Amino acid sequence: MRDHLRAGIAVYNEGRYHAAHDAWEEYWLDLDAGDDERFLHGLIQFTAVVHHASEENWSGAQGLAESATEYLDGLSDPYHGVAVDEVRSFLAATAADPHHAATDPPTLTHEDEAVDYDALDFDATVIAAGVLAETGRYDEAVVADAVARARSELDGDGGSQFAGMVFSFVRERDQRPVVYQRLRDHVELEQQKDDDVRGLFDGSG
Protein backbone atom coordinates (compact mmCIF):
# COMPACT_ATOMS: atom_id res chain seq x y z
CA MET A 1 0.00 0.00 0.00
CA ARG A 2 2.86 2.40 0.78
CA ASP A 3 3.66 3.37 -2.82
CA HIS A 4 0.01 3.90 -3.74
CA LEU A 5 -0.56 5.83 -0.55
CA ARG A 6 2.37 8.20 -1.03
CA ALA A 7 1.62 8.73 -4.73
CA GLY A 8 -1.97 9.73 -3.98
CA ILE A 9 -0.93 12.01 -1.13
CA ALA A 10 1.56 13.78 -3.40
CA VAL A 11 -1.07 14.26 -6.12
CA TYR A 12 -3.51 15.60 -3.52
CA ASN A 13 -0.94 17.94 -1.97
CA GLU A 14 -0.26 19.37 -5.44
CA GLY A 15 -3.90 20.49 -5.55
CA ARG A 16 -5.24 17.73 -7.80
CA TYR A 17 -7.96 16.71 -5.37
CA HIS A 18 -10.09 14.82 -7.86
CA ALA A 19 -7.17 12.91 -9.36
CA ALA A 20 -5.67 11.76 -6.06
CA HIS A 21 -8.12 8.90 -5.66
CA ASP A 22 -6.85 7.29 -8.87
CA ALA A 23 -3.60 6.41 -7.10
CA TRP A 24 -5.54 4.54 -4.41
CA GLU A 25 -8.57 3.14 -6.19
CA GLU A 26 -7.03 0.17 -8.02
CA TYR A 27 -5.36 -1.04 -4.82
CA TRP A 28 -8.49 -0.36 -2.75
CA LEU A 29 -10.77 -2.34 -5.07
CA ASP A 30 -8.70 -5.48 -4.49
CA LEU A 31 -8.91 -5.26 -0.69
CA ASP A 32 -11.20 -7.45 1.38
CA ALA A 33 -13.43 -5.83 3.96
CA GLY A 34 -11.45 -4.61 6.96
CA ASP A 35 -9.54 -1.66 8.37
CA ASP A 36 -7.32 -1.13 5.30
CA GLU A 37 -10.34 -1.10 3.02
CA ARG A 38 -12.15 1.38 5.27
CA PHE A 39 -9.03 3.52 5.50
CA LEU A 40 -8.60 3.92 1.74
CA HIS A 41 -12.37 4.24 1.20
CA GLY A 42 -12.39 7.08 3.74
CA LEU A 43 -9.40 8.80 2.14
CA ILE A 44 -10.96 8.55 -1.31
CA GLN A 45 -14.16 10.13 0.00
CA PHE A 46 -12.13 12.76 1.87
CA THR A 47 -10.47 13.93 -1.36
CA ALA A 48 -13.91 14.01 -2.99
CA VAL A 49 -15.09 16.28 -0.14
CA VAL A 50 -12.30 18.75 -0.88
CA HIS A 51 -12.97 18.52 -4.63
CA HIS A 52 -16.71 19.15 -4.26
CA ALA A 53 -16.04 22.12 -1.98
CA SER A 54 -13.59 23.57 -4.50
CA GLU A 55 -16.45 23.37 -7.04
CA GLU A 56 -18.83 24.97 -4.48
CA ASN A 57 -20.93 21.81 -4.34
CA TRP A 58 -21.70 22.28 -0.67
CA SER A 59 -24.30 19.55 -0.30
CA GLY A 60 -22.01 17.01 -1.96
CA ALA A 61 -19.13 18.01 0.30
CA GLN A 62 -21.27 17.80 3.42
CA GLY A 63 -22.78 14.42 2.65
CA LEU A 64 -19.45 12.84 1.80
CA ALA A 65 -17.84 14.35 4.91
CA GLU A 66 -20.33 12.45 7.04
CA SER A 67 -19.79 9.24 5.07
CA ALA A 68 -15.98 9.50 5.11
CA THR A 69 -16.06 10.05 8.86
CA GLU A 70 -17.90 6.76 9.28
CA TYR A 71 -15.27 4.87 7.26
CA LEU A 72 -12.37 6.37 9.24
CA ASP A 73 -14.06 6.04 12.63
CA GLY A 74 -12.13 3.85 15.06
CA LEU A 75 -8.89 3.62 13.08
CA SER A 76 -5.69 4.20 15.03
CA ASP A 77 -3.79 7.45 14.60
CA PRO A 78 -1.55 7.44 12.71
CA TYR A 79 -2.77 4.69 10.40
CA HIS A 80 -0.26 3.43 7.83
CA GLY A 81 1.70 6.58 8.66
CA VAL A 82 -1.16 8.96 7.85
CA ALA A 83 -2.35 11.48 10.47
CA VAL A 84 -5.95 10.25 10.48
CA ASP A 85 -7.02 12.46 13.39
CA GLU A 86 -6.33 15.59 11.32
CA VAL A 87 -8.46 14.23 8.50
CA ARG A 88 -11.27 13.29 10.90
CA SER A 89 -11.22 16.75 12.52
CA PHE A 90 -11.48 18.38 9.11
CA LEU A 91 -14.34 16.10 8.08
CA ALA A 92 -16.25 16.84 11.29
CA ALA A 93 -15.85 20.59 10.73
CA THR A 94 -16.96 20.23 7.12
CA ALA A 95 -20.02 18.17 8.05
CA ALA A 96 -21.01 21.06 10.35
CA ASP A 97 -20.07 23.79 7.85
CA PRO A 98 -19.25 22.62 4.30
CA HIS A 99 -17.73 26.00 3.40
CA HIS A 100 -14.90 25.03 5.74
CA ALA A 101 -13.58 22.55 3.17
CA ALA A 102 -13.12 25.23 0.55
CA THR A 103 -11.29 27.66 2.79
CA ASP A 104 -9.03 25.33 4.74
CA PRO A 105 -8.28 21.94 3.15
CA PRO A 106 -5.56 20.17 5.13
CA THR A 107 -2.21 19.05 3.82
CA LEU A 108 -1.90 15.27 3.99
CA THR A 109 1.16 13.87 5.74
CA HIS A 110 2.78 10.45 5.74
CA GLU A 111 5.15 9.59 8.57
CA ASP A 112 5.10 13.29 9.56
CA GLU A 113 6.14 14.35 6.04
CA ALA A 114 4.06 16.55 3.75
CA VAL A 115 4.70 14.34 0.74
CA ASP A 116 5.25 16.00 -2.64
CA TYR A 117 6.43 14.63 -5.98
CA ASP A 118 10.09 15.11 -5.08
CA ALA A 119 9.66 12.79 -2.08
CA LEU A 120 8.44 9.83 -4.14
CA ASP A 121 10.70 6.88 -4.90
CA PHE A 122 10.60 5.22 -8.31
CA ASP A 123 7.65 2.87 -7.71
CA ALA A 124 5.49 5.63 -6.21
CA THR A 125 6.56 7.97 -9.02
CA VAL A 126 5.38 5.39 -11.56
CA ILE A 127 1.91 5.36 -9.95
CA ALA A 128 1.80 9.17 -9.95
CA ALA A 129 2.93 9.22 -13.60
CA GLY A 130 -0.02 7.03 -14.56
CA VAL A 131 -2.43 9.31 -12.72
CA LEU A 132 -0.98 12.45 -14.30
CA ALA A 133 -1.00 10.88 -17.76
CA GLU A 134 -4.68 10.05 -17.45
CA THR A 135 -5.81 13.34 -15.95
CA GLY A 136 -3.50 15.43 -18.12
CA ARG A 137 -4.74 13.80 -21.30
CA TYR A 138 -1.34 12.47 -22.22
CA ASP A 139 -1.06 9.16 -24.07
CA GLU A 140 -1.10 6.60 -21.28
CA ALA A 141 0.43 3.95 -23.56
CA VAL A 142 3.46 6.17 -24.17
CA VAL A 143 3.96 6.71 -20.45
CA ALA A 144 3.51 2.99 -19.77
CA ASP A 145 6.13 2.15 -22.42
CA ALA A 146 8.54 4.67 -20.91
CA VAL A 147 7.97 3.17 -17.46
CA ALA A 148 8.68 -0.34 -18.78
CA ARG A 149 11.93 0.86 -20.36
CA ALA A 150 12.85 2.70 -17.16
CA ARG A 151 12.33 -0.50 -15.15
CA SER A 152 14.56 -2.34 -17.60
CA GLU A 153 17.27 0.26 -17.09
CA LEU A 154 17.02 0.03 -13.32
CA ASP A 155 17.09 -3.78 -13.46
CA GLY A 156 20.58 -3.57 -14.90
CA ASP A 157 20.28 -3.10 -18.65
CA GLY A 158 22.37 0.05 -18.39
CA GLY A 159 21.60 3.75 -18.52
CA SER A 160 19.00 5.80 -16.74
CA GLN A 161 17.58 7.86 -19.60
CA PHE A 162 13.97 6.73 -19.30
CA ALA A 163 14.05 6.60 -15.51
CA GLY A 164 15.20 10.21 -15.47
CA MET A 165 12.45 11.25 -17.86
CA VAL A 166 9.75 9.49 -15.82
CA PHE A 167 10.91 11.33 -12.70
CA SER A 168 10.99 14.61 -14.64
CA PHE A 169 7.50 14.04 -16.06
CA VAL A 170 6.13 13.85 -12.53
CA ARG A 171 8.33 16.37 -10.76
CA GLU A 172 8.66 19.18 -13.30
CA ARG A 173 5.10 20.41 -13.16
CA ASP A 174 5.55 23.56 -15.23
CA GLN A 175 7.60 21.74 -17.85
CA ARG A 176 5.47 18.58 -17.98
CA PRO A 177 4.21 19.09 -21.57
CA VAL A 178 7.77 19.62 -22.79
CA VAL A 179 9.06 16.63 -20.83
CA TYR A 180 6.24 14.48 -22.21
CA GLN A 181 7.10 15.51 -25.78
CA ARG A 182 10.72 14.46 -25.23
CA LEU A 183 9.62 11.25 -23.59
CA ARG A 184 7.27 10.42 -26.46
CA ASP A 185 10.00 11.09 -29.04
CA HIS A 186 12.39 8.74 -27.23
CA VAL A 187 9.73 6.05 -26.93
CA GLU A 188 8.95 6.25 -30.65
CA LEU A 189 12.65 6.08 -31.49
CA GLU A 190 13.16 2.99 -29.34
CA GLN A 191 10.04 1.36 -30.75
CA GLN A 192 11.39 1.94 -34.26
CA LYS A 193 14.68 0.32 -33.25
CA ASP A 194 12.79 -2.66 -31.84
CA ASP A 195 10.79 -2.96 -35.07
CA ASP A 196 13.97 -2.79 -37.15
CA VAL A 197 15.60 -5.57 -35.13
CA ARG A 198 12.51 -7.77 -35.36
CA GLY A 199 12.48 -7.18 -39.09
CA LEU A 200 15.99 -8.63 -39.40
CA PHE A 201 14.90 -11.92 -37.91
CA ASP A 202 11.37 -12.41 -39.23
CA GLY A 203 12.38 -11.88 -42.83
CA SER A 204 10.58 -8.58 -43.28
CA GLY A 205 13.71 -6.40 -43.00
Side-chain angles (χ1 to χ4, degrees):
M1 181 189 295
R2 178 184 173 86
D3 291 328
H4 287 270
L5 193 55
R6 287 177 68 83
I9 289 173
V11 173
Y12 168 88
N13 284 341
E14 287 286 333
R16 292 175 173 263
Y17 306 129
H18 183 266
H21 79 276
D22 288 328
W24 302 324
E25 191 168 90
E26 184 177 1
Y27 187 91
W28 164 64
L29 288 172
D30 286 336
L31 290 173
D32 294 329
D35 286 352
D36 284 357
E37 189 278 334
R38 290 198 301 116
F39 169 62
L40 284 182
H41 203 160
L43 278 189
I44 288 168
Q45 291 202 350
F46 156 74
T47 59
V49 169
V50 180
H51 170 70
H52 283 310
S54 72
E55 299 287 318
E56 298 185 358
N57 177 3
W58 309 122
S59 62
Q62 189 170 35
L64 282 173
E66 295 168 354
S67 176
T69 297
E70 293 177 6
Y71 282 114
L72 297 176
D73 183 49
L75 297 180
S76 61
D77 177 66
Y79 191 86
H80 280 289
V82 175
V84 178
D85 278 350
E86 292 183 14
V87 175
R88 284 190 287 235
S89 295
F90 168 81
L91 290 171
T94 301
D97 176 13
H99 293 77
H100 176 78
T103 58
D104 192 26
T107 298
L108 286 178
T109 60
H110 181 256
E111 297 173 352
D112 296 322
E113 175 188 18
V115 180
D116 61 14
Y117 294 140
D118 290 341
L120 302 181
D121 64 13
F122 179 73
D123 288 327
T125 296
V126 165
I127 295 167
V131 172
L132 294 171
E134 180 180 357
T135 59
R137 299 179 183 174
Y138 298 102
D139 190 331
E140 295 174 65
V142 169
V143 174
D145 189 299
V147 165
R149 295 179 190 278
R151 287 195 186 281
S152 181
E153 291 173 347
L154 296 175
D155 285 342
D157 288 358
S160 59
Q161 180 182 49
F162 280 97
M165 283 191 288
V166 170
F167 276 115
S168 294
F169 175 71
V170 171
R171 293 177 176 179
E172 297 179 21
R173 181 175 185 171
D174 294 338
Q175 296 298 315
R176 190 169 294 138
V178 175
V179 173
Y180 170 78
Q181 192 76 29
R182 186 166 73 247
L183 185 148
R184 188 185 68 180
D185 290 345
H186 280 78
V187 165
E188 290 176 351
L189 178 61
E190 292 302 314
Q191 288 175 340
Q192 183 60 53
K193 289 179 182 177
D194 293 344
D195 291 343
D196 289 346
V197 171
R198 277 194 294 271
L200 293 174
F201 292 94
D202 65 12
S204 62

